[in-house]
Amino acid sequence: MVDNLPLITETIVSTLLHVSGLVVEVSLSGEITGRWELDASDEKLRKIDVRSIIRHYETQISNALCSGKSETDIYSIQESDKITKYKVRILPIHPGKDLLFVCIEFISEKDASNISEEYLREALDAASDGMWDLDTVTNKISLSSKWFEIFGYNADKISTTEHWVSLIHPDDRSTVIRRKDEYFDGNSKYYQSEFRIRCEDGSYKWVMSRGVVMSRDNNGKIIRFIGTHTDISNRIKNEHEFASTANLLTKLIGSLNDGILVTNQDNKITYANKAFFAIHDFELQPEDIIGHDVLKGLKSNRKGYKKEDYIYDRTVELLKNKTTELNEEWELKSGKVLSRDFIPVTDSDKNIQAIWQFRDITEHKNIENRLSELRNFYEQILNNIATDIVVYDAQQRYIFINPTAIKNDELRAWMIGKTDEDYAKLRNKDEAFITRRKKVLEDAKNKRQIIEWEEMLVNRAGETEHHLRYMFPVFDSEGNQTMGIGYGMNITERVRVQQELKTSRDTFANAFNDSGIGMALISPDGSWIDANHMLCKMTGYPKQMLMEVPLSLLTHPEDENKDKHLIRQMLKNEISTYTVEKRYISRHYKIVQVQLTVSLVRDVAENPKFYIVQAIDVTAQKNMEQEIKKKNADLEVTTENLISKINQLEDLSHIIAHNLRGPAGNIKMLSDSLLSRYRKNGDDDNSISFDSTFTEEEAITLINEGSQTLMDSLATLMQVTEIKLDKNVTIDNCNIAGIVNDVRNQLQSVVFEKKAIFNLNLDVPEVKYHRLYLENILYNLMSNALKYSQKDKSPEIIISTAQIDDRVQLSVKDNGLGIDLEKYGNRVFRLNEIFHQGYDSKGVGLYITKTQIESFGGSITVKSKPNEGCEFIVTL
């Protein structure tokens, strides 16, 4: 038979030697151009309808001619109750021609009923698949018990193809029929389809349907088609969920503003989203670069980067090391700034792929630069502001300190990142400092408000400083504290000024309220602002009532306009103060003569603020003046009488002088005579020489008589003088506290100026003494204590009395400059002695004081050390 094949090459022949049966040659158009029976004894091959087989495999023949690949299949033919199977091989091996060979070999022939039962048993043995058997001639369908179990139907309910097809979901039927037709027509090697079948309860299940043609008739028509249904509902559900998730992720990645690039283990690009191209300003689409080498692509597009060589080298390094690198910043020549992440990922096959993420951080960098500029700007301000500024983070660590708060640059740098505890340890601060700071920080956080407090610190020079502090807590949108801003200022000078102002106010208030004269504050419109107790007492009005009395009603009508011209001058700044006398009408309609001293207080803009009015009640003075006039008249009469008495005294003096001359002369003569007896001649050139006419006894007798005469004359003179002058020195019951108070009032301006403090320790509250002398003594001693006080100390004067035997001791002690007794001890009470230069002193006071004390039989002593004060002790 081989010899009858002249067109077959040696290659084809060698191939055909391995087969038996029937071989036909088929052209591209499907025409049979040759037929060879390699096994003539096979009757079935001679009777087979070759053209039906060629038509059945028309698609496979066309594919084989195009691809040059052979295909093999099993072809079944059913005739009555017999099923015959043939092996069909399609061999495109004729070189240079659009021809191929179809080899048909007989395999087997079996009884159809036995085959159906056999396949049915095999299907029923399947673990979970439902089996179906379709007779295309009768349109009957047989279903396995497993199939009915899966879908919930009774075994006798479904028997026809139409009923079975009606259970397919309407949306899937056309697909199922198309897949079946493709398989029956030979356009598909196998039948497989996924679709939904309605269950007995009305729900649908997804199934995988697989089928195979079991038999054909002699004309090649399919007469039996069997297969299985596999429940794939869970898989479809999972696939849908996976597809939904994958779709969501795909959309998410596709909609990201970040550029995403994925490369495989060979550095080939497998994915790129549109944002990748937009960020780089590439006019490409993802499909244009898929499968391309990432390094080659970068090499051709790196010119867009400012550091084009470095980014290429860096990318090579990343792909070599395959370690994660995040937030690399790259600047493009266009001005853009990109952040790049390299993230290596190992897949299930242990291949290392890479995800490249690109972010356009241009705006972020611009904002960051602007913030940096702003930070520098504000830091310049904060660093040059004369206020302490510190910033804490949420953990109470310093993150900013300006030079005003910490002047030492090295210390300021060290404190960044440190806490108050660290600073306290460094500076040896006590535990109270840390406790105070912690409480402030916690109060600001918990109360969510600014905390204000004052601190007293001792600086390096040992000086006390006052600082006003504030702590301002900062919270985020969720209410968590992110930082604390502390700021403060040195208010030492302000505190000093406030203290001085308070002292000034207190002083003024005390001077105003406790003044011994009436005082008032009057507004520029003439209404009352305030009045002190003395003015109320002077006018007889309670304060509240006085505030409601117009000045015009308080003033005598004749005196109302007495000072208006002076007020106008004051408002024009022509005068600063004036004094005038007026008459007030008291509440009880009595005339009160007052001397007014008025001054004007202005505000910082030099506008009138209020008047200060000082009123001295001179009613008694005026009355006294009248009394003085009367007394002056009496004095003139008394003067005349006094002149007469003086003349009498002068006469008396002449008489006494005449009477004393004789006794005095006798005494002189007798004393000279006595002296001459005891002198040797020539011992004294100045001695008087005369002959003595008296004996010693006679001389002594005469001297005694002369002395007696002199004493009698003096007694007579004293008696006459007392009678003539009527001298009568009075002794008073003197209240020491009252006299001290009177003297202090006399010295009130100095007491107030020097803030003097008086303490009385009076064991003997009263003494019998001439009041005027005692007042003068205390005045001299107290005024000296004030005058010679130390500049940096307020004078403290202690006045005490004590009973010592039958005498009273009065002590005046101070804390002033003191006297150097080692230097001046024997000169303290001398006339014109001065111990401290630069003071208004004539050295007379202590001399007069001593003279007055001694004139009454008393004495005075002093205890003192320089800069420790003096104590004068008077024994009365």
Side-chain angles (χ1 to χ4, degrees), residues 36 60 87 125 132 167 187 251 254 281 308 332 507 512 532 574 627 661 680 719 825 834 865:
W36 298 271
Q60 287 86 337
K87 182 179 182 179
D125 289 338
W132 48 267
L167 301 179
N187 294 326
K251 288 183 178 179
D281 299 322
E308 54 185 80
L332 302 183
T507 301
F512 182 84
N532 71 350
E574 295 176 356
E627 183 67 22
R661 286 185 63 149
K680 295 181 178 179
Q719 185 179 4
I834 298 174
K865 289 183 179 181

Side-chain angles (χ1 to χ4, degrees), residues 565-782:
H565 68 290
L566 297 172
I567 292 175
R568 286 193 294 269
Q569 287 180 298
M570 185 178 290
L571 291 173
K572 293 178 181 179
N573 261 334
E574 295 176 356
I575 59 175
S576 59
T577 185
Y578 69 85
T579 301
V580 68
E581 289 186 1
K582 280 190 175 185
R583 289 168 291 177
Y584 280 168
I585 302 174
S586 73
R587 180 185 178 192
H588 303 293
Y589 299 101
K590 291 183 178 180
I591 300 297
V592 181
Q593 302 266 2
V594 293
Q595 177 180 290
L596 300 180
T597 299
V598 182
S599 58
L600 177 61
V601 177
R602 299 176 181 272
D603 59 20
V604 293
E606 290 297 318
N607 297 314
K609 194 171 183 180
F610 57 85
Y611 296 99
I612 299 177
V613 179
Q614 302 177 65
I616 301 175
D617 185 350
V618 295
T619 305
Q621 180 183 336
K622 291 295 182 182
N623 294 336
M624 188 180 293
E625 288 176 357
Q626 295 298 322
E627 183 67 22
I628 288 173
K629 288 181 181 179
K630 179 177 179 301
K631 294 294 182 181
N632 283 339
D634 295 339
L635 184 59
E636 290 179 3
V637 176
T638 302
T639 301
E640 292 178 359
N641 293 332
L642 183 59
I643 291 172
S644 176
K645 289 183 178 182
I646 290 172
N647 292 333
Q648 293 175 6
L649 286 174
E650 288 178 353
D651 293 341
L652 178 62
S653 297
H654 286 294
I655 294 170
I656 297 296
H658 181 269
N659 291 339
L660 291 179
R661 286 185 63 149
N666 291 335
I667 292 171
K668 179 72 170 69
M669 181 186 67
L670 291 173
S671 61
D672 288 341
S673 176
L674 289 173
L675 288 173
S676 65
R677 294 183 180 185
Y678 297 99
R679 291 177 181 169
K680 295 181 178 179
N681 291 331
D683 290 344
D684 188 354
D685 294 338
N686 296 321
S687 61
I688 303 173
S689 298
F690 59 90
D691 294 332
S692 177
T693 57
F694 300 104
T695 65
E696 184 176 345
E697 182 179 358
E698 289 174 338
I700 293 172
T701 302
L702 290 173
I703 290 172
N704 182 59
E705 290 177 354
S707 300
Q708 185 63 47
T709 302
L710 182 59
M711 290 298 296
D712 292 342
S713 298
L714 290 173
T716 302
L717 178 61
M718 289 297 298
Q719 185 179 4
V720 172
T721 302
E722 287 179 1
I723 293 172
K724 294 296 182 180
L725 296 180
D726 192 21
K727 180 178 181 181
N728 185 20
V729 177
T730 60
I731 300 299
D732 306 306
N733 288 325
C734 299
N735 183 283
I736 302 297
I739 295 174
V740 169
N741 189 57
D742 290 342
V743 173
R744 184 168 58 183
N745 288 338
Q746 296 174 46
L747 299 171
Q748 185 63 38
S749 61
V750 182
V751 172
F752 180 80
E753 177 186 354
K754 297 196 173 187
K755 304 177 183 177
I757 301 170
F758 288 84
N759 292 312
L760 302 183
N761 298 319
L762 304 178
D763 293 341
V764 181
E766 290 186 355
V767 296
K768 292 185 178 298
Y769 208 81
H770 191 281
R771 178 182 174 84
L772 182 60
Y773 274 27
L774 184 57
E775 182 176 329
N776 192 45
I777 291 167
L778 284 170
Y779 181 93
N780 283 331
L781 296 178
M782 289 167 62

Side-chain angles (χ1 to χ4, degrees), residues 491-548:
I491 58 169
T492 305
E493 182 62 20
R494 190 175 83 180
V495 169
R496 185 189 66 77
V497 172
Q498 287 176 342
Q499 289 174 345
E500 290 182 354
L501 180 61
K502 182 179 183 303
T503 300
S504 177
R505 287 176 176 172
D506 292 345
T507 301
F508 178 79
N510 292 336
F512 182 84
N513 294 320
D514 300 334
S515 176
I517 63 174
M519 294 188 71
L521 303 180
I522 307 296
S523 68
D525 62 5
S527 60
W528 295 94
I529 297 176
D530 199 1
N532 71 350
H533 169 72
M534 187 57 69
L535 186 63
C536 295
K537 181 178 179 181
M538 190 184 300
T539 59
Y541 287 98
K543 185 174 181 178
Q544 186 175 357
M545 186 180 294
L546 180 62
M547 295 293 100
E548 298 176 358

Side-chain angles (χ1 to χ4, degrees), residues 100-311:
L100 53 71
F101 296 96
V102 178
C103 302
I104 304 170
E105 299 177 63
F106 172 76
I107 296 176
S108 65
E109 182 180 71
K110 294 183 179 181
D111 184 75
S113 60
N114 292 337
I115 293 174
S116 177
E117 290 174 2
E118 179 185 347
Y119 277 96
L120 181 57
R121 282 192 300 270
E122 292 176 359
L124 290 174
D125 289 338
S128 59
D129 293 350
M131 180 248 177
W132 48 267
D133 186 350
L134 177 63
D135 187 334
T136 60
V137 177
T138 63
N139 283 329
K140 296 293 184 181
I141 189 168
S142 297
L143 301 170
S144 68
S145 59
K146 187 67 176 180
W147 191 97
F148 288 108
E149 179 186 336
I150 292 172
F151 297 102
Y153 292 101
N154 293 326
D156 58 349
K157 191 167 184 180
I158 302 170
S159 59
T160 65
T161 304
E162 289 80 5
H163 189 183
W164 179 71
V165 171
S166 69
L167 301 179
I168 299 174
H169 194 286
D171 293 343
D172 300 339
R173 286 175 193 162
S174 60
T175 301
V176 173
I177 294 171
R178 177 172 54 79
R179 294 281 176 85
K180 185 264 298 182
D181 290 343
E182 288 176 352
Y183 178 65
F184 280 11
D185 294 340
N187 294 326
S188 177
K189 293 182 180 180
Y190 54 85
Y191 167 75
Q192 180 175 312
S193 182
E194 295 179 358
F195 53 90
R196 289 163 286 183
I197 291 182
R198 187 175 69 248
C199 301
E200 176 67 18
D201 61 5
S203 64
Y204 282 89
K205 286 187 177 181
W206 278 92
V207 297
M208 168 70 77
S209 180
R210 296 184 181 91
V212 64
V213 173
M214 292 301 298
S215 60
R216 301 173 185 268
D217 60 15
N218 291 331
N219 296 321
K221 182 179 179 183
I222 297 171
I223 59 176
R224 193 172 184 190
F225 184 35
I226 67 173
T228 61
H229 284 163
T230 303
D231 186 355
I232 60 171
S233 298
N234 289 335
R235 195 204 78 192
I236 294 296
K237 179 182 178 183
N238 292 337
E239 287 179 353
H240 284 172
E241 291 177 354
F242 176 79
S244 176
T245 302
N247 184 52
L248 178 63
L249 291 174
T250 301
K251 288 183 178 179
L252 177 63
I253 294 174
S255 62
L256 285 176
N257 291 327
D258 293 357
I260 303 296
L261 188 74
V262 181
T263 58
N264 62 15
Q265 68 274 10
D266 299 321
N267 298 334
K268 302 294 184 183
I269 299 172
T270 58
Y271 177 81
N273 67 352
K274 292 184 178 180
F276 171 79
F277 300 96
I279 286 176
H280 289 86
D281 299 322
F282 292 157
E283 295 181 356
L284 298 170
Q285 295 299 321
E287 55 268 20
D288 296 332
I289 66 172
I290 300 299
H292 288 225
D293 186 279
V294 67
L295 290 175
K296 290 181 179 179
L298 177 60
K299 198 165 189 178
S300 60
N301 291 285
R302 62 181 173 174
K303 291 185 178 180
Y305 287 90
K306 280 193 174 181
K307 298 179 179 179
E308 54 185 80
D309 292 333
Y310 181 57
I311 190 171

